[in-house]
């Protein structure tokens, strides 16, 4: 490949709800949270901003979006402007969050944490959450260890430094200082895809991105019994 990644595909195709279960699962999970118009909520790695928009529309919360990819930032900005949503969008990294400590009641990380330096990002999440604040994450998790060769194939495709079992997430979250750790397996496999797909295509994109899309399909099918995700909720 010419150096393009899975994230280039997501950005240029403008995939909204780019996490397992899509916006429908997000809405489902959030019904269990006590989000109000007084809540300060960070969508960490907000992509095109579909969840951030929902958080404002549904709860009138004070919503902030943080995203590293400039194409994603542009598309999220378009969404918020077009729909006149007062959401503050910041370009930056969840490994170095540009907010003060104790800023947020909720942080959402929908398929972002798995792709970064996890201890570093978790330390940042802990720092910017208020005491009693909650982190809600939807993250790639493997159901069992694979051979080195197989794990390398998956790690190379997603450009991640590690693949975590449920117990690895538990250990990391605990190590970052979080309490009330709840990690739930989901009935649907990654290969089921997103049932409410949304796209915002860039005008021009490299045809190679279709190869990446195809490779993603192959990986998800090949490892359908192993490559999975978990809904993680924890409290500071
Ligand atoms: C799988 S997508 C999920 C996007 C969004 N949360 C959603 O569910 O639609 C992962 C997103 O994380 C962003 N991302 C990756 N590394 C990041 C970092 N260090 N800081 C902030 N965002 C990051 C990517 O650019 C991408 O938009």
């Amino acid at each position: 490949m010419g150096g393009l990644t899975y994230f280039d595909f997501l950005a240029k195709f403008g995939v909204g709800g780019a996490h397992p279960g899509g916006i429908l699962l997000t809405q489902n999970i959030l019904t269990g949270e006590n989000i109000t118009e007084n809540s300060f909520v960070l969508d960490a790695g907000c992509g095109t901003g579909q969840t951030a928009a929902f958080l404002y529309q549904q709860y009138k919360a004070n919503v902030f979006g943080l995203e590293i990819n400039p194409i994603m930032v542009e598309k999220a900005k378009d969404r918020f402007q077009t729909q006149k949503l007062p959401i503050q969008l910041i370009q930056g990294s969840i490994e170095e969050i540009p907010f003060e400590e104790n800023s947020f009641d909720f942080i959402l990380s929908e398929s972002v944490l798995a792709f970064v330096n996890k201890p570093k990002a978790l330390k940042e999440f802990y720092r910017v959450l208020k005491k009693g604040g909650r982190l809600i994450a939807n993250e790639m998790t493997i159901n069992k260890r694979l051979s080195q060769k197989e794990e390398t194939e998956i790690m190379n495709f997603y450009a991640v430094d590690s693949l975590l079992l449920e117990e690895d997430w538990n250990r990391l979250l605990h190590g970052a200082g979080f309490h009330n750790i709840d990690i739930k397996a989901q009935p649907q496999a990654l290969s089921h895809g997103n049932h409410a797909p949304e796209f915002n295509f860039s005008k021009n994109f490299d045809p190679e991105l279709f190869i990446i899309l195809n490779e993603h399909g192959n990986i998800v099918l090949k490892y359908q019994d192993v490559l999975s995700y978990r809904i993680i909720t924890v409290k500071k």
Side-chain angles (χ1 to χ4, degrees), residues 6-7 10 15-19 43-48 66-69 72 92-95 110-112 115-116:
Y6 176 58
F7 280 171
L10 291 177
V15 181
H19 55 266
D43 188 352
C46 65
T48 70
L66 177 65
E67 170 57 52
I68 203 165
N69 182 303
M72 288 296 203
S93 174
I94 68 166
E95 293 177 6
E110 295 184 292
S111 298
V112 187
F115 299 99
V116 302

Side-chain angles (χ1 to χ4, degrees), residues 146-174:
L146 294 163
S147 70
Q148 191 65 51
K149 188 165 170 263
E150 292 169 316
E151 292 202 6
T152 302
E153 183 183 19
I154 300 171
M155 290 196 296
N156 285 348
F157 179 78
Y158 288 116
V160 295
D161 61 10
S162 54
L163 295 174
L164 268 51
L165 293 162
E166 198 171 301
E167 67 212 50
D168 299 323
W169 280 117
N170 195 45
R171 186 178 33 78
L172 276 184
L173 291 157
H174 198 262

